Amino acid sequence: MAEVEEEGRKPSEEFTDESEEEDSEEEPKLKYERLSNGVTEILQNDAASCMTVHDKFLALGTHFGKVFLLDIQGNVTQKFEISSVKINQISLDESGEHVGICSEDGKVQVFGLYTREGFHENFDCPVKVVALHPQFTRSNYKQFVTGGNKLLLYERNWLNRWKTSVLHEGEGTITNIQWRANLIAWANNVGVKIYDISTKQRITNVLRDNVSLRPDMYPCSLCWKDNTTLIVGWGTSIKICVVKERNPTEMRDLPSRYVEIMSAFETEFFISGLAPLADQLVTLFFVKENSDQMDEEFRARPRLDIIQPLPESCEEISSDALTVRYFQDNECRDYRLEHAEGESLFYIISPKDIVVAKERDQDDHIDWLLEKKKYEEALMAAEISFKNIKRHDVQKIGMAYINHLVEKGDYDSAARKCQKVLGKNMELWENEVYRFKTIGQLKAISQYLPRGDLRLRPAIYEMILHEFLKTDYEGFATLIREWPGELYNNMAIVQAVTDHLKRDPTNSTLLTTLAELYTYDQRYDRALEIYLRLRHKDVYQLIHKHNLFSSIEDKIVLLMDFDKEKAVDMLLDNEDKISTDRVVEELADRPELLHVYLHKLFKRDHHKGQKYHERQIGLYAEYDRPNLLPFLRDSTHCPLEKALEICQQRNFVEETVFLLSRMGNCRRALQMIMEELEDVDKAIEFAKEQDDAELWEDLISYSIDKPPFITGLLNNIGTHVDPILLIHRIKEGMEIPNLRDSLVKILQDYNLQILLREGCKKILVADSLSLLQKMHRTQMRGVRVDEENICESCHATILPSDMAKPFSVVVFHCRHMFHKECLPSSGTIPGVQFCNICSAKRRGPGSGILEMKK
């Protein structure tokens, strides 16, 4: 709730706790200002009795019988001396060119503001209201009504005389009239009526609810929302009435229109005025409360509420208490609410004060947010409406917000807002940086400084870097990584870091940062030295990115000590820049590293490092025996004698066995397997690989006196050597482990072989039969013979020109065709003929000719 004071608005007295008000008060919907200038002077010596609002001007009537025309600022443009007593009503037509005035002494005047011609009459009783036809300026609508004890209609006829008609009487004094289009609504002591001027019918009677209230003290408030919607407020009751067309079939003797009450509800206070605001209502309330300090009632400030009508109730949208001048002396009938259609301007008229209420715009919204220190919302609102607002400077709002955050100590938020608020204003940016330096918060603003196309002076960035270098090495390193090097003088920062390293020479953070500075300055050799010294992961990226291979030829050992895998991959990927010979030379004194390099080289290509294969034998034997045997198998350039010598020296049996077999000494290899490895399975596998009968004989001879070996042989040689030969050589009485199982396996293997042979035989017979049937079907097919075919012997067409004569043609499966008489004798087999051409091809050149000659 808000209120209006002499110099503006202040919070309502209902809010006694300021902090509570700040947290809970909702933003007002309306803003207020007093109508001053000429109005102030008028009301000092007189009192307002009525006012009518036009979109071009205002018309104010006073208790001393004067009518003033005012502009919207309250300046007097015209003055009319109408009477010596109170002006009761002023009515204007839609054009604003004619005015109707009535006063307490019975005077009624209707005239043109620019002609003063019109109707002037004095009645013997007070005339409370007057209303002009909305289109009064047009000659066809020279009509107006007056209200006192009667509702009189005045019409100018063709003789330019005024004709009077009584529309209604007998229900007390008429206190209000509102004319809209063809409908006239008026209120008297009984209720509200509506008259249709076009059909000359009265169409409704809305009764007054609270008959205990004096109608002269609590008059009826009427206003048209549109041409068919009338809003009625009386006492504490509000009704919204809609004029509707009656169905022609239901008319009979009824008026063509009727009224339906769409909404009816009670309010808490007495209604002094009503006005529409879109689908809501603006309501002026007269408030009369009971005081705890005195027995009698006293009058509180009037309230201007915005309410949302519902069918049987209403919802309060906003409520403002207005401190109008001398409100303590006013009664319900002393207040009026007038509005300007289409402008959302509302005039609260009281005897000694006129207050203008208008909807708050975006500027007002932003002002309220700033007043409540809701800077974030104010800034957003200003940005949204930036193109439309003139009074509010978005940057000014933002600066107020930043100052507020700094005062609160929320330096990070203040610094973050600088990005949005300061924009491209370099002067403001630098001022803020120096302010943050003064309060010791350069670190807070550092991450938000401009660093793209918009940049500050290098000295600003250097000042912040020096600040971090003094107190926060990690933060300094972060800025160096994030800020482009062109923001500051790189050499000056390098010198500063170097000075700090003199005091702390092993600080890895400073060393890494110095390497990054050297990299930006293209002093890559210095950066590389630091990275290698620190064993930094970025060393390989630096080498690749800046092609520093020529700089690392003498640093290969350092690189491999740091990360062997990455180093070897890099060297092998760039053999065109660092040759294999150069790497081998550098690693000569570090054989364990040399082995890693040569091993990966061999894995990539078995032939590239062939001249080092002899050297690799010793390296594998010394550092990587598991890969020695695969190397010996895969290498075609390895000297076998040298390899055998090394393996025998080191007693590498498996490798020696492989080399002996590869060199052709299979019997010696088998002997080593059996004697040194004592592995019958490996010996059998070796014999299978060589597929040599003598090796099997040696294996059986060696195993015949060793029962475990005999068991292994019985289980495995069934498909390579006749098991009977082995069984016959076993000494009688020798105990052989698992002999029974071994014999069973031999029989199973034999049965399996028999089954496989029978299965293969069946498949072979079935396939042969199938192919024979296929060949038979193929040879049984007919062969097309036409006049284009020729005899392969005489080369004449195969078919005679006269098909009626008998002829014989022989067609072979090879598609060669002959006249029967052109074929030679059938040969050695009676009754069997062969194609001469195909037979000649099988026998050789010239044989066909010879055959033909036979």
Side-chain angles (χ1 to χ4, degrees):
M1 186 180 289
E3 61 181 41
V4 174
E5 283 286 6
E6 295 287 338
E7 299 301 326
R9 294 172 46 241
K10 73 174 185 179
S12 167
E13 294 175 357
E14 291 183 16
F15 296 97
T16 57
D17 184 86
E18 289 187 4
S19 62
E20 180 183 346
E21 176 193 344
E22 183 175 343
D23 292 339
S24 63
E25 184 183 1
E26 294 184 1
E27 181 179 359
K29 302 296 182 184
L30 302 172
K31 61 179 178 179
Y32 301 88
E33 59 184 16
R34 278 195 167 81
L35 198 61
S36 55
N37 299 322
V39 173
T40 303
E41 183 178 350
I42 293 170
L43 299 185
Q44 283 179 351
N45 303 314
D46 204 339
S49 60
C50 61
M51 191 172 83
T52 299
V53 177
H54 192 270
D55 57 0
K56 298 177 183 177
F57 60 91
L58 310 175
L60 174 66
T62 71
H63 280 260
F64 290 171
K66 299 178 178 60
V67 173
F68 297 91
L69 300 187
L70 313 168
D71 61 19
I72 58 175
Q73 282 80 32
N75 298 304
V76 177
T77 58
Q78 278 186 277
K79 176 182 176 182
F80 302 104
E81 298 279 353
I82 302 298
S83 173
S84 59
V85 296
K86 176 183 174 184
I87 301 295
N88 284 330
Q89 182 69 43
I90 301 173
S91 177
L92 296 169
D93 66 348
E94 290 181 355
S95 68
E97 296 180 10
H98 288 80
V99 61
I101 304 170
C102 64
S103 59
E104 190 67 19
D105 59 359
K107 288 184 179 179
V108 175
Q109 296 189 24
V110 178
F111 56 88
L113 291 175
Y114 307 106
T115 62
R116 289 305 299 266
E117 296 179 1
F119 178 87
H120 300 271
E121 188 68 53
N122 291 325
F123 295 90
D124 57 359
C125 64
V127 178
K128 298 295 183 181
V129 285
V130 62
L132 302 185
H133 192 295
Q135 303 292 329
F136 188 87
T137 301
R138 299 169 62 179
S139 59
N140 294 338
Y141 299 102
K142 296 297 184 183
Q143 297 174 314
F144 67 91
V145 291
T146 61
N149 294 327
K150 300 177 183 179
L151 180 65
L152 299 177
L153 171 66
Y154 293 84
E155 299 177 277
R156 177 177 282 179
N157 57 24
W158 61 279
L159 295 174
N160 207 26
R161 295 180 179 178
W162 291 96
K163 173 187 173 185
T164 306
S165 304
V166 177
L167 298 183
H168 186 68
E169 63 179 328
E171 292 184 354
T173 303
I174 295 171
T175 56
N176 199 345
I177 300 176
Q178 295 294 325
W179 194 331
R180 181 73 173 245
N182 291 323
L183 299 176
I184 304 172
W186 72 92
N188 55 31
N189 294 351
V190 176
V192 175
K193 281 79 174 171
I194 299 178
Y195 182 83
D196 188 344
I197 196 73
S198 60
T199 61
K200 297 183 179 181
Q201 292 177 313
R202 198 174 73 189
I203 60 177
T204 191
N205 181 18
V206 181
L207 297 176
R208 179 160 64 104
D209 290 338
N210 194 340
V211 295
S212 63
L213 296 176
R214 290 174 51 185
D216 59 328
M217 297 297 292
Y218 298 92
C220 177
S221 296
L222 298 175
C223 73
W224 288 97
K225 180 180 179 180
D226 51 46
N227 286 350
T228 59
T229 305
L230 177 68
I231 305 170
V232 180
W234 209 333
T236 57
S237 173
I238 293 179
K239 295 177 182 178
I240 299 178
C241 309
V242 178
V243 179
K244 296 185 175 182
E245 297 290 338
R246 196 182 300 276
N247 191 320
T249 61
E250 300 176 356
M251 281 188 182
R252 297 188 295 273
D253 297 330
L254 299 175
S256 60
R257 293 182 177 185
Y258 69 99
V259 169
E260 182 177 342
I261 298 177
M262 306 301 294
S263 176
F265 52 89
E266 291 293 317
T267 61
E268 184 179 357
F269 306 109
F270 299 103
I271 299 162
S272 293
L274 294 169
L277 177 62
D279 62 339
Q280 299 171 343
L281 287 181
V282 178
T283 308
L284 178 63
F285 286 124
F286 170 73
V287 182
K288 186 163 61 173
E289 298 178 350
N290 291 323
S291 172
D292 296 335
Q293 289 78 22
M294 57 185 70
D295 295 334
E296 63 181 21
E297 291 181 333
F298 75 98
R299 299 174 184 90
R301 291 167 297 170
R303 287 172 38 147
L304 192 69
D305 286 11
I306 298 177
I307 60 175
Q308 178 67 58
L310 301 173
E312 297 181 356
S313 63
C314 66
E315 178 184 350
E316 182 182 289
I317 305 301
S318 71
S319 180
D320 297 333
L322 312 179
T323 309
V324 299
R325 294 187 178 101
Y326 305 107
F327 68 88
Q328 301 90 341
D329 301 330
N330 294 336
E331 297 178 346
C332 183
R333 63 182 177 182
D334 294 323
Y335 293 110
R336 292 174 182 248
L337 179 64
E338 299 291 339
H339 71 286
E341 293 186 16
E343 295 186 22
S344 297
L345 286 175
F346 306 94
Y347 294 84
I348 299 94
I349 300 103
S350 68
K352 288 295 184 178
D353 207 358
I354 299 176
V355 176
V356 184
K358 63 178 68 175
E359 282 192 287
R360 295 168 61 84
D361 57 19
Q362 189 71 356
D363 282 354
D364 300 309
H365 175 57
I366 294 171
D367 279 339
W368 184 84
L369 291 172
L370 291 174
E371 178 185 340
K372 299 302 178 184
K373 297 187 177 180
K374 298 182 179 182
Y375 296 100
E376 181 77 24
E377 297 176 40
L379 189 58
M380 290 177 61
E383 289 173 345
I384 291 171
S385 61
F386 179 71
K387 294 180 180 178
N388 301 322
I389 63 174
K390 296 180 180 179
R391 183 163 58 87
H392 277 95
D393 182 353
V394 174
Q395 204 165 64
K396 181 178 178 181
I397 296 170
M399 287 304 301
Y401 188 19
I402 292 172
N403 294 337
H404 171 70
L405 292 172
V406 169
E407 291 172 4
K408 283 176 55 179
D410 190 355
Y411 303 112
D412 183 73
S413 297
R416 185 167 58 251
K417 288 300 170 190
C418 288
Q419 285 185 311
K420 181 185 291 187
V421 173
L422 304 183
K424 298 182 179 181
N425 192 319
M426 294 295 96
E427 182 179 354
L428 285 180
W429 264 113
E430 295 194 2
N431 289 341
E432 284 304 300
V433 172
Y434 283 114
R435 175 164 74 151
F436 274 74
K437 181 181 187 307
T438 302
I439 60 178
Q441 292 295 329
L442 274 179
K443 291 183 180 180
I445 202 172
S446 62
Q447 57 183 314
Y448 304 110
L449 291 184
R451 62 184 74 170
D453 296 335
L454 176 69
R455 294 175 182 176
L456 308 178
R457 291 182 296 111
I460 300 295
Y461 301 99
E462 292 168 19
M463 177 176 67
I464 293 175
L465 289 173
H466 282 292
E467 180 70 21
F468 272 89
L469 196 53
K470 291 177 186 177
T471 58
D472 184 0
Y473 287 164
E474 293 294 339
F476 174 77
T478 300
L479 289 185
I480 292 297
R481 282 192 294 272
E482 293 179 353
W483 284 2
E486 58 268 18
L487 291 180
Y488 49 85
N489 185 333
N490 195 68
M491 291 306 300
I493 302 302
V494 166
Q495 185 59 50
V497 175
T498 305
D499 292 342
H500 277 265
L501 280 171
K502 291 177 182 177
R503 299 190 292 272
D504 189 4
T506 61
N507 189 289
S508 60
T509 302
L510 284 182
L511 285 170
T512 304
T513 308
L514 183 59
E516 292 173 0
L517 290 168
Y518 279 139
T519 301
Y520 176 75
D521 209 26
Q522 298 184 0
R523 296 158 71 178
Y524 303 122
D525 52 342
R526 296 245 182 131
L528 186 60
E529 288 177 6
I530 295 175
Y531 279 136
L532 287 173
R533 175 182 167 188
L534 295 174
R535 303 168 71 89
H536 197 280
K537 61 181 178 61
D538 288 345
V539 65
Y540 299 101
Q541 181 182 354
L542 181 72
I543 294 169
H544 280 289
K545 185 175 181 180
H546 301 291
N547 197 20
L548 303 179
F549 295 98
S550 60
S551 301
I552 64 168
E553 288 187 349
D554 57 347
K555 300 180 178 63
I556 293 174
V557 175
L558 289 174
L559 285 167
M560 292 195 67
D561 280 338
F562 173 32
D563 189 327
K564 290 191 287 290
E565 297 299 323
K566 279 190 176 181
V568 170
D569 287 339
M570 180 187 70
L571 292 169
L572 294 177
D573 290 340
N574 297 276
E575 288 182 82
D576 56 329
K577 296 165 185 165
I578 302 180
S579 66
T580 301
D581 295 340
R582 178 61 176 162
V583 176
V584 173
E585 180 184 348
E586 284 294 314
L587 298 176
D589 296 332
R590 296 289 299 276
E592 74 282 5
L593 299 179
L594 177 61
H595 165 67
V596 174
Y597 174 77
L598 290 175
H599 172 65
K600 278 209 169 186
L601 176 64
F602 178 75
K603 297 294 283 184
R604 288 197 180 194
D605 191 330
H606 293 347
H607 307 287
K608 266 190 178 179
Q610 56 183 318
K611 67 179 181 177
Y612 301 110
H613 284 197
E614 180 178 350
R615 192 171 182 178
Q616 281 185 269
I617 299 170
L619 293 173
Y620 275 111
E622 181 69 25
Y623 302 107
D624 190 11
R625 184 188 170 185
N627 281 312
L628 174 58
L629 186 57
F631 171 73
L632 295 173
R633 284 179 176 151
D634 294 338
S635 173
T636 58
H637 308 286
C638 176
L640 300 180
E641 294 82 1
K642 179 67 174 176
L644 182 61
E645 178 185 349
I646 292 174
C647 292
Q648 288 177 335
Q649 287 175 355
R650 294 175 178 269
N651 196 28
F652 291 170
V653 178
E654 292 186 24
E655 291 82 354
T656 302
V657 168
F658 169 76
L659 290 169
L660 286 171
S661 66
R662 188 168 175 181
M663 295 170 71
N665 195 350
C666 295
R667 301 188 71 177
R668 173 59 184 153
L670 180 61
Q671 182 182 357
M672 288 189 70
I673 295 173
M674 293 186 296
E675 293 179 354
E676 298 189 30
L677 294 179
E678 296 183 350
D679 188 339
V680 64
D681 293 330
K682 189 176 285 292
I684 294 170
E685 187 67 29
F686 182 77
K688 289 180 180 180
E689 288 178 359
Q690 303 304 319
D691 196 20
D692 188 340
E694 291 184 1
L695 284 181
W696 283 110
E697 180 61 31
D698 290 345
L699 180 57
I700 292 172
S701 298
Y702 180 81
S703 305
I704 203 64
D705 59 348
K706 299 177 180 64
F709 274 52
I710 292 175
T711 302
L713 285 171
L714 290 173
N715 289 333
N716 290 282
I717 68 172
T719 57
H720 298 273
V721 179
D722 189 352
I724 300 300
L725 298 177
L726 175 60
I727 294 172
H728 281 309
R729 295 179 62 177
I730 298 173
K731 293 179 181 180
E732 189 173 348
M734 179 181 287
E735 185 177 342
I736 299 172
N738 300 317
L739 177 61
R740 178 179 175 277
D741 294 340
S742 299
L743 293 175
V744 170
K745 186 175 185 304
I746 288 172
L747 292 174
Q748 288 175 342
D749 290 345
Y750 179 76
N751 288 332
L752 180 62
Q753 290 182 36
I754 296 300
L755 290 173
L756 285 173
R757 287 179 181 178
E758 290 180 353
C760 290
K761 180 180 178 182
K762 288 180 180 178
I763 293 171
L764 181 61
V765 171
D767 286 350
S768 299
L769 179 60
S770 174
L771 291 172
L772 178 62
Q773 291 172 344
K774 181 178 180 181
M775 183 183 72
H776 183 259
R777 286 194 303 271
T778 302
Q779 292 182 345
M780 289 289 291
R781 288 176 183 169
V783 179
R784 178 182 177 85
V785 179
D786 55 30
E787 44 197 36
E788 293 181 359
N789 298 109
I790 62 172
C791 174
E792 297 292 344
S793 178
C794 66
H795 300 293
T797 56
I798 197 71
L799 299 177
S801 56
D802 187 2
M803 297 292 292
K805 295 180 179 181
F807 64 95
S808 297
V809 175
V810 178
V811 181
F812 291 98
H813 183 63
C814 59
R815 297 296 191 269
H816 290 135
M817 303 178 185
F818 298 90
H819 294 126
K820 187 173 183 179
E821 59 270 19
C822 293
L823 280 173
S825 60
S826 58
T828 57
I829 304 175
V832 178
Q833 291 182 318
F834 298 95
C835 174
N836 287 8
I837 295 174
C838 294
S839 298
K841 286 181 180 178
R842 289 193 293 271
R843 290 194 298 270
S847 58
I849 298 174
L850 293 175
E851 185 68 29
M852 294 293 290
K853 288 181 177 180
K854 290 179 183 180

